């Protein structure tokens, strides 16, 4: 443990130093802490990193170029970067029981790009080099190189559909993954809202993807990764899992056995800043046979590594290996279930009827609202959420019909199941008192809404009262 005042002193001193150069930046940093302290944050993808994690990022590691991997750098003088990168990778391997960890990706999207190109290199490029008896791409003839580029651009990916909770980087056209791969997606059973594994197997048999992707940003249930791996094996696909959202639940051993992706997938990607509660960043875990290709992430698709962020990853992963992190992960799920139960009891409709992870999706059409109207009305009332599609969403991806709520952040603050019931009451009050608005010509609007400001004010006050009992960063006093 650091001494009682160390954290306050550290942040206060940092602000003093920054203020002397550009006071507006120091002001914005302090204002951000104040805003976060006041907001009832139910954004499922956000969290609050520890002071140690935050402080590990603000230092001279930022000055270093360190292309390459531990012990094999293209730049001299990387011994200290080697220390933190090796530590972060070791903590990641131990925490997740992974054979190999690559901790350089700057974000979740970058981790996915590293994974896609590692698989393409292993399964398309390496065999082509072998056929041409070339050691590396520069040795290929123009004709062989042209053929390889076409082959690399002609591969298939199967992932979860966006409206069922998949992510844009799993082969959708607006993202580069959709431009790289011919993509198809699997959804959920309209009756239950759950993944229909027989259907996934059927699509896989017909489509024969190179990569089968599991993982999601907005699916409120466990996924059986053992079954998905069997499906991948049956069609010769590489099985990749993007656990960006639920890495904290894997780390905290809430998801074990068939529901732990690490032993089942060939390659696993994640962010480090969502339920895992580390710095903003990404990471790739993989089986030994993909390790060499994964380690080529920089400069294949990544810019130079961020050693200061790798230092923070090492700190956060060390925290996640402590027993209290498993307790935290259990509480995230208990809170999500209490919040879901509180909403159901008050008559709300949830996608799949509940949750067994850190998030729930409220289908707000039962309140006569679009996701956009609900999101704004909640925000007016001091409750921060985000709108989200529901399966087969009638309102499309912009307006949507759902509200996604998640508990990793509030659980870090210390809120428990009793508070979740209060929050369910606040959410239900706002949604049931909000009505859809009309356009100037009298037609129904998908964006406008009517909410009595007195209701919004009252809920805002109740929300901030609830938070006063659970101070954010209680060890940090900037005054
Ligand atoms: C959040 C998320 C990402 C992207 O993470 P960034 O760090 O924002 O790039 C990728 N995949 C999934 C499933 C996510 O939820």
């Amino acid at each position: 443990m650091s001494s009682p005042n160390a954290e306050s002193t550290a942040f206060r001193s940092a602000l003093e130093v920054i203020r002397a150069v550009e006071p507006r930046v120091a002001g914005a940093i302090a204002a951000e802490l104040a805003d976060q302290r006041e907001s009832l944050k139910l954004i499922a993808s956000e969290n609050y990193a520890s002071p140690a994690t935050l402080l590990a990022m603000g230092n001279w590691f930022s000055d270093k170029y360190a292309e390459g991997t531990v012990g094999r750098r293209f730049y001299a003088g990387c011994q200290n970067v080697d220390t933190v990168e090796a530590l972060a990778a070791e903590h990641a391997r131990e925490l997740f029981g992974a054979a190999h960890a690559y901790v350089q990706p700057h974000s979740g999207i970058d981790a996915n790009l590293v994974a896609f190109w590692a698989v393409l290199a292993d399964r398309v490029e390496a065999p082509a080099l072998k056929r041409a008896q070339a050691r590396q791409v520069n040795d290929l003839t123009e004709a062989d190189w042209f053929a390889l580029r076409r082959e690399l651009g002609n591969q298939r990916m199967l992932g979860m559909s966006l409206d069922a909770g998949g992510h844009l980087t799993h082969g959708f056209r607006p993202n580069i993954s959709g431009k790289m791969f011919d993509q198809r997606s699997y959804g959920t059973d309209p009756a239950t809202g759950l993944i229909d594994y027989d259907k996934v197997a059927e699509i896989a048999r017909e489509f024969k993807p190179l990569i089968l992707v599991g993982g999601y940003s907005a699916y409120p249930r466990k996924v059986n990764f053992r079954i998905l791996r069997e499906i991948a094996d049956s069609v010769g696909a590489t099985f990749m899992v993007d656990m960006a959202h639920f890495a904290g639940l894997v780390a905290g051993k809430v998801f074990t056995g068939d529901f732990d992706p690490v032993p089942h997938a060939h390659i696993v990607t994640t962010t480090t800043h969502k339920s895992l509660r580390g710095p903003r960043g990404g990471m790739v875990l993989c089986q030994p046979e993909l390790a060499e290709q994964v380690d080529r992430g920089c400069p294949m698709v990544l810019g130079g590594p961020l050693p200061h962020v790798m230092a923070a990853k090492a700190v956060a992963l060390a925290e996640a290996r402590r027993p209290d992190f498993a307790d935290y992960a259990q509480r995230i799920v208990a809170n999500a279930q209490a919040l879901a139960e509180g909403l159901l009891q008050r008559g709300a409709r949830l996608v799949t009827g509940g949750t067994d992870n850190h998030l729930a999706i409220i289908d707000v059409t039962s309140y006569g609202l679009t996701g956009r109207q609900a999101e704004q009305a909640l925000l007016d009332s001091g409750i921060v959420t985000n709108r989200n599609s529901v399966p087969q969403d009638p309102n499309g991806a912009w307006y949507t019909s759902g509200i996604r709520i998640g508990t990793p952040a509030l659980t870090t603050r210390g809120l428990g199941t009793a508070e979740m019931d209060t929050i369910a009451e606040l959410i239900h009050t706002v949604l049931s008192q909000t009505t859809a608005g009309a356009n100037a010509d009298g037609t129904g609007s998908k964006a406008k809404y009517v909410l009595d400001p007195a209701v919004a004010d009252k809920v805002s006050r109740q929300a901030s009262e609830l938070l006063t009992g659970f101070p954010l960063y209680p060890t940090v006093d900037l005054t």
Side-chain angles (χ1 to χ4, degrees), residues 240-264:
M240 165 174 158
V241 174
D242 178 352
M243 63 171 184
H245 252 261
F246 54 90
L249 303 186
V250 178
K253 309 286 182 269
V254 172
F255 288 172
T256 57
D258 293 355
F259 307 104
D260 176 353
V262 180
H264 300 291

PDB file of all heavy atoms in Angstrom, residues 240-264:
ATOM      1  N   MET A 240     -11.345 -17.422 -33.450  1.00  0.00           N
ATOM      2  CA  MET A 240     -10.872 -16.224 -32.754  1.00  0.00           C
ATOM      3  C   MET A 240     -11.971 -15.721 -31.831  1.00  0.00           C
ATOM      4  O   MET A 240     -13.139 -15.726 -32.203  1.00  0.00           O
ATOM      5  CB  MET A 240     -10.550 -15.157 -33.804  1.00  0.00           C
ATOM      6  CG  MET A 240     -10.404 -13.765 -33.229  1.00  0.00           C
ATOM      7  SD  MET A 240      -9.862 -12.589 -34.478  1.00  0.00           S
ATOM      8  CE  MET A 240     -10.446 -11.074 -33.704  1.00  0.00           C
ATOM      9  N   VAL A 241     -11.600 -15.304 -30.627  1.00  0.00           N
ATOM     10  CA  VAL A 241     -12.585 -14.704 -29.724  1.00  0.00           C
ATOM     11  C   VAL A 241     -12.128 -13.293 -29.356  1.00  0.00           C
ATOM     12  O   VAL A 241     -10.983 -13.081 -28.973  1.00  0.00           O
ATOM     13  CB  VAL A 241     -12.781 -15.539 -28.437  1.00  0.00           C
ATOM     14  CG1 VAL A 241     -13.707 -14.801 -27.464  1.00  0.00           C
ATOM     15  CG2 VAL A 241     -13.368 -16.903 -28.775  1.00  0.00           C
ATOM     16  N   ASP A 242     -13.040 -12.358 -29.516  1.00  0.00           N
ATOM     17  CA  ASP A 242     -12.796 -10.972 -29.120  1.00  0.00           C
ATOM     18  C   ASP A 242     -13.508 -10.765 -27.778  1.00  0.00           C
ATOM     19  O   ASP A 242     -14.719 -10.614 -27.720  1.00  0.00           O
ATOM     20  CB  ASP A 242     -13.363 -10.048 -30.200  1.00  0.00           C
ATOM     21  CG  ASP A 242     -13.199  -8.571 -29.873  1.00  0.00           C
ATOM     22  OD1 ASP A 242     -12.787  -8.253 -28.742  1.00  0.00           O
ATOM     23  OD2 ASP A 242     -13.494  -7.739 -30.749  1.00  0.00           O
ATOM     24  N   MET A 243     -12.713 -10.809 -26.699  1.00  0.00           N
ATOM     25  CA  MET A 243     -13.318 -10.694 -25.352  1.00  0.00           C
ATOM     26  C   MET A 243     -13.188  -9.271 -24.802  1.00  0.00           C
ATOM     27  O   MET A 243     -13.153  -9.064 -23.574  1.00  0.00           O
ATOM     28  CB  MET A 243     -12.723 -11.732 -24.388  1.00  0.00           C
ATOM     29  CG  MET A 243     -11.247 -11.604 -24.111  1.00  0.00           C
ATOM     30  SD  MET A 243     -10.784 -12.749 -22.745  1.00  0.00           S
ATOM     31  CE  MET A 243      -9.059 -12.332 -22.525  1.00  0.00           C
ATOM     32  N   ALA A 244     -13.135  -8.287 -25.712  1.00  0.00           N
ATOM     33  CA  ALA A 244     -12.947  -6.883 -25.304  1.00  0.00           C
ATOM     34  C   ALA A 244     -13.839  -6.484 -24.134  1.00  0.00           C
ATOM     35  O   ALA A 244     -13.403  -5.824 -23.197  1.00  0.00           O
ATOM     36  CB  ALA A 244     -13.203  -5.956 -26.488  1.00  0.00           C
ATOM     37  N   HIS A 245     -15.106  -6.887 -24.198  1.00  0.00           N
ATOM     38  CA  HIS A 245     -16.048  -6.468 -23.166  1.00  0.00           C
ATOM     39  C   HIS A 245     -15.910  -7.253 -21.880  1.00  0.00           C
ATOM     40  O   HIS A 245     -16.008  -6.697 -20.795  1.00  0.00           O
ATOM     41  CB  HIS A 245     -17.485  -6.600 -23.692  1.00  0.00           C
ATOM     42  CG  HIS A 245     -18.098  -5.270 -23.956  1.00  0.00           C
ATOM     43  ND1 HIS A 245     -18.950  -4.656 -23.090  1.00  0.00           N
ATOM     44  CD2 HIS A 245     -17.930  -4.418 -24.990  1.00  0.00           C
ATOM     45  CE1 HIS A 245     -19.292  -3.484 -23.572  1.00  0.00           C
ATOM     46  NE2 HIS A 245     -18.695  -3.315 -24.727  1.00  0.00           N
ATOM     47  N   PHE A 246     -15.704  -8.555 -21.997  1.00  0.00           N
ATOM     48  CA  PHE A 246     -15.837  -9.396 -20.801  1.00  0.00           C
ATOM     49  C   PHE A 246     -14.516  -9.972 -20.294  1.00  0.00           C
ATOM     50  O   PHE A 246     -14.515 -10.899 -19.467  1.00  0.00           O
ATOM     51  CB  PHE A 246     -16.858 -10.523 -21.052  1.00  0.00           C
ATOM     52  CG  PHE A 246     -16.562 -11.357 -22.272  1.00  0.00           C
ATOM     53  CD1 PHE A 246     -15.773 -12.488 -22.178  1.00  0.00           C
ATOM     54  CD2 PHE A 246     -17.071 -11.012 -23.512  1.00  0.00           C
ATOM     55  CE1 PHE A 246     -15.486 -13.264 -23.292  1.00  0.00           C
ATOM     56  CE2 PHE A 246     -16.803 -11.786 -24.642  1.00  0.00           C
ATOM     57  CZ  PHE A 246     -16.010 -12.904 -24.532  1.00  0.00           C
ATOM     58  N   ALA A 247     -13.391  -9.400 -20.709  1.00  0.00           N
ATOM     59  CA  ALA A 247     -12.092  -9.907 -20.241  1.00  0.00           C
ATOM     60  C   ALA A 247     -12.014  -9.909 -18.716  1.00  0.00           C
ATOM     61  O   ALA A 247     -11.412 -10.810 -18.117  1.00  0.00           O
ATOM     62  CB  ALA A 247     -10.959  -9.069 -20.834  1.00  0.00           C
ATOM     63  N   GLY A 248     -12.633  -8.931 -18.066  1.00  0.00           N
ATOM     64  CA  GLY A 248     -12.600  -8.871 -16.604  1.00  0.00           C
ATOM     65  C   GLY A 248     -13.324 -10.057 -15.974  1.00  0.00           C
ATOM     66  O   GLY A 248     -12.939 -10.533 -14.903  1.00  0.00           O
ATOM     67  N   LEU A 249     -14.357 -10.541 -16.664  1.00  0.00           N
ATOM     68  CA  LEU A 249     -15.100 -11.689 -16.126  1.00  0.00           C
ATOM     69  C   LEU A 249     -14.323 -12.986 -16.347  1.00  0.00           C
ATOM     70  O   LEU A 249     -14.460 -13.939 -15.572  1.00  0.00           O
ATOM     71  CB  LEU A 249     -16.495 -11.768 -16.761  1.00  0.00           C
ATOM     72  CG  LEU A 249     -17.362 -10.512 -16.607  1.00  0.00           C
ATOM     73  CD1 LEU A 249     -18.769 -10.766 -17.153  1.00  0.00           C
ATOM     74  CD2 LEU A 249     -17.434 -10.054 -15.160  1.00  0.00           C
ATOM     75  N   VAL A 250     -13.502 -13.022 -17.386  1.00  0.00           N
ATOM     76  CA  VAL A 250     -12.630 -14.179 -17.606  1.00  0.00           C
ATOM     77  C   VAL A 250     -11.497 -14.126 -16.574  1.00  0.00           C
ATOM     78  O   VAL A 250     -11.202 -15.114 -15.902  1.00  0.00           O
ATOM     79  CB  VAL A 250     -12.062 -14.187 -19.040  1.00  0.00           C
ATOM     80  CG1 VAL A 250     -11.120 -15.367 -19.248  1.00  0.00           C
ATOM     81  CG2 VAL A 250     -13.203 -14.225 -20.068  1.00  0.00           C
ATOM     82  N   ALA A 251     -10.901 -12.937 -16.416  1.00  0.00           N
ATOM     83  CA  ALA A 251      -9.811 -12.768 -15.442  1.00  0.00           C
ATOM     84  C   ALA A 251     -10.277 -13.106 -14.033  1.00  0.00           C
ATOM     85  O   ALA A 251      -9.544 -13.717 -13.257  1.00  0.00           O
ATOM     86  CB  ALA A 251      -9.291 -11.326 -15.491  1.00  0.00           C
ATOM     87  N   GLY A 252     -11.509 -12.716 -13.704  1.00  0.00           N
ATOM     88  CA  GLY A 252     -12.050 -12.923 -12.360  1.00  0.00           C
ATOM     89  C   GLY A 252     -12.711 -14.276 -12.169  1.00  0.00           C
ATOM     90  O   GLY A 252     -13.356 -14.508 -11.151  1.00  0.00           O
ATOM     91  N   LYS A 253     -12.541 -15.165 -13.168  1.00  0.00           N
ATOM     92  CA  LYS A 253     -13.018 -16.561 -13.087  1.00  0.00           C
ATOM     93  C   LYS A 253     -14.538 -16.666 -12.896  1.00  0.00           C
ATOM     94  O   LYS A 253     -15.034 -17.604 -12.268  1.00  0.00           O
ATOM     95  CB  LYS A 253     -12.312 -17.337 -11.943  1.00  0.00           C
ATOM     96  CG  LYS A 253     -10.790 -17.228 -11.970  1.00  0.00           C
ATOM     97  CD  LYS A 253     -10.176 -18.070 -13.079  1.00  0.00           C
ATOM     98  CE  LYS A 253      -8.654 -17.997 -13.075  1.00  0.00           C
ATOM     99  NZ  LYS A 253      -8.088 -16.931 -13.925  1.00  0.00           N
ATOM    100  N   VAL A 254     -15.251 -15.687 -13.446  1.00  0.00           N
ATOM    101  CA  VAL A 254     -16.708 -15.822 -13.519  1.00  0.00           C
ATOM    102  C   VAL A 254     -17.046 -16.713 -14.711  1.00  0.00           C
ATOM    103  O   VAL A 254     -17.952 -17.536 -14.661  1.00  0.00           O
ATOM    104  CB  VAL A 254     -17.379 -14.438 -13.687  1.00  0.00           C
ATOM    105  CG1 VAL A 254     -18.875 -14.590 -13.954  1.00  0.00           C
ATOM    106  CG2 VAL A 254     -17.158 -13.581 -12.442  1.00  0.00           C
ATOM    107  N   PHE A 255     -16.303 -16.529 -15.787  1.00  0.00           N
ATOM    108  CA  PHE A 255     -16.470 -17.363 -16.976  1.00  0.00           C
ATOM    109  C   PHE A 255     -15.380 -18.440 -16.958  1.00  0.00           C
ATOM    110  O   PHE A 255     -14.202 -18.144 -17.183  1.00  0.00           O
ATOM    111  CB  PHE A 255     -16.332 -16.534 -18.258  1.00  0.00           C
ATOM    112  CG  PHE A 255     -17.484 -15.609 -18.524  1.00  0.00           C
ATOM    113  CD1 PHE A 255     -17.420 -14.684 -19.553  1.00  0.00           C
ATOM    114  CD2 PHE A 255     -18.650 -15.650 -17.765  1.00  0.00           C
ATOM    115  CE1 PHE A 255     -18.478 -13.831 -19.822  1.00  0.00           C
ATOM    116  CE2 PHE A 255     -19.719 -14.798 -18.020  1.00  0.00           C
ATOM    117  CZ  PHE A 255     -19.629 -13.882 -19.050  1.00  0.00           C
ATOM    118  N   THR A 256     -15.768 -19.659 -16.688  1.00  0.00           N
ATOM    119  CA  THR A 256     -14.805 -20.759 -16.648  1.00  0.00           C
ATOM    120  C   THR A 256     -15.291 -21.889 -17.553  1.00  0.00           C
ATOM    121  O   THR A 256     -16.399 -21.825 -18.099  1.00  0.00           O
ATOM    122  CB  THR A 256     -14.659 -21.291 -15.201  1.00  0.00           C
ATOM    123  OG1 THR A 256     -15.958 -21.680 -14.749  1.00  0.00           O
ATOM    124  CG2 THR A 256     -14.102 -20.234 -14.258  1.00  0.00           C
ATOM    125  N   GLY A 257     -14.476 -22.925 -17.698  1.00  0.00           N
ATOM    126  CA  GLY A 257     -14.880 -24.110 -18.480  1.00  0.00           C
ATOM    127  C   GLY A 257     -15.230 -23.740 -19.913  1.00  0.00           C
ATOM    128  O   GLY A 257     -14.462 -23.066 -20.586  1.00  0.00           O
ATOM    129  N   ASP A 258     -16.414 -24.161 -20.358  1.00  0.00           N
ATOM    130  CA  ASP A 258     -16.829 -23.899 -21.738  1.00  0.00           C
ATOM    131  C   ASP A 258     -16.963 -22.408 -22.035  1.00  0.00           C
ATOM    132  O   ASP A 258     -16.978 -22.003 -23.197  1.00  0.00           O
ATOM    133  CB  ASP A 258     -18.198 -24.542 -22.011  1.00  0.00           C
ATOM    134  CG  ASP A 258     -18.133 -26.062 -21.991  1.00  0.00           C
ATOM    135  OD1 ASP A 258     -17.016 -26.608 -21.855  1.00  0.00           O
ATOM    136  OD2 ASP A 258     -19.204 -26.691 -22.110  1.00  0.00           O
ATOM    137  N   PHE A 259     -17.081 -21.594 -20.982  1.00  0.00           N
ATOM    138  CA  PHE A 259     -17.357 -20.167 -21.169  1.00  0.00           C
ATOM    139  C   PHE A 259     -16.096 -19.317 -21.107  1.00  0.00           C
ATOM    140  O   PHE A 259     -16.150 -18.105 -21.262  1.00  0.00           O
ATOM    141  CB  PHE A 259     -18.392 -19.711 -20.121  1.00  0.00           C
ATOM    142  CG  PHE A 259     -19.615 -20.579 -20.138  1.00  0.00           C
ATOM    143  CD1 PHE A 259     -19.837 -21.527 -19.151  1.00  0.00           C
ATOM    144  CD2 PHE A 259     -20.518 -20.490 -21.197  1.00  0.00           C
ATOM    145  CE1 PHE A 259     -20.952 -22.357 -19.194  1.00  0.00           C
ATOM    146  CE2 PHE A 259     -21.630 -21.316 -21.256  1.00  0.00           C
ATOM    147  CZ  PHE A 259     -21.856 -22.260 -20.251  1.00  0.00           C
ATOM    148  N   ASP A 260     -14.954 -19.945 -20.834  1.00  0.00           N
ATOM    149  CA  ASP A 260     -13.654 -19.263 -20.851  1.00  0.00           C
ATOM    150  C   ASP A 260     -13.095 -19.421 -22.259  1.00  0.00           C
ATOM    151  O   ASP A 260     -12.826 -20.547 -22.699  1.00  0.00           O
ATOM    152  CB  ASP A 260     -12.729 -19.937 -19.823  1.00  0.00           C
ATOM    153  CG  ASP A 260     -11.315 -19.368 -19.836  1.00  0.00           C
ATOM    154  OD1 ASP A 260     -10.994 -18.540 -20.718  1.00  0.00           O
ATOM    155  OD2 ASP A 260     -10.526 -19.758 -18.955  1.00  0.00           O
ATOM    156  N   PRO A 261     -12.904 -18.328 -22.995  1.00  0.00           N
ATOM    157  CA  PRO A 261     -12.468 -18.481 -24.389  1.00  0.00           C
ATOM    158  C   PRO A 261     -11.020 -18.954 -24.542  1.00  0.00           C
ATOM    159  O   PRO A 261     -10.661 -19.549 -25.548  1.00  0.00           O
ATOM    160  CB  PRO A 261     -12.624 -17.060 -24.962  1.00  0.00           C
ATOM    161  CG  PRO A 261     -12.533 -16.154 -23.787  1.00  0.00           C
ATOM    162  CD  PRO A 261     -13.117 -16.918 -22.621  1.00  0.00           C
ATOM    163  N   VAL A 262     -10.177 -18.685 -23.537  1.00  0.00           N
ATOM    164  CA  VAL A 262      -8.733 -18.860 -23.732  1.00  0.00           C
ATOM    165  C   VAL A 262      -8.330 -20.299 -24.076  1.00  0.00           C
ATOM    166  O   VAL A 262      -7.567 -20.521 -25.012  1.00  0.00           O
ATOM    167  CB  VAL A 262      -7.936 -18.291 -22.533  1.00  0.00           C
ATOM    168  CG1 VAL A 262      -6.437 -18.482 -22.734  1.00  0.00           C
ATOM    169  CG2 VAL A 262      -8.257 -16.808 -22.343  1.00  0.00           C
ATOM    170  N   PRO A 263      -8.844 -21.316 -23.356  1.00  0.00           N
ATOM    171  CA  PRO A 263      -8.422 -22.677 -23.730  1.00  0.00           C
ATOM    172  C   PRO A 263      -9.027 -23.161 -25.050  1.00  0.00           C
ATOM    173  O   PRO A 263      -8.518 -24.119 -25.629  1.00  0.00           O
ATOM    174  CB  PRO A 263      -8.926 -23.545 -22.564  1.00  0.00           C
ATOM    175  CG  PRO A 263      -9.936 -22.732 -21.849  1.00  0.00           C
ATOM    176  CD  PRO A 263      -9.661 -21.298 -22.132  1.00  0.00           C
ATOM    177  N   HIS A 264     -10.093 -22.525 -25.511  1.00  0.00           N
ATOM    178  CA  HIS A 264     -10.791 -23.027 -26.700  1.00  0.00           C
ATOM    179  C   HIS A 264     -10.378 -22.328 -27.995  1.00  0.00           C
ATOM    180  O   HIS A 264     -10.411 -22.934 -29.061  1.00  0.00           O
ATOM    181  CB  HIS A 264     -12.306 -22.892 -26.506  1.00  0.00           C
ATOM    182  CG  HIS A 264     -12.795 -23.669 -25.318  1.00  0.00           C
ATOM    183  ND1 HIS A 264     -12.800 -25.048 -25.294  1.00  0.00           N
ATOM    184  CD2 HIS A 264     -13.232 -23.271 -24.101  1.00  0.00           C
ATOM    185  CE1 HIS A 264     -13.243 -25.456 -24.113  1.00  0.00           C
ATOM    186  NE2 HIS A 264     -13.499 -24.410 -23.373  1.00  0.00           N
TER     187      HIS A 264
END
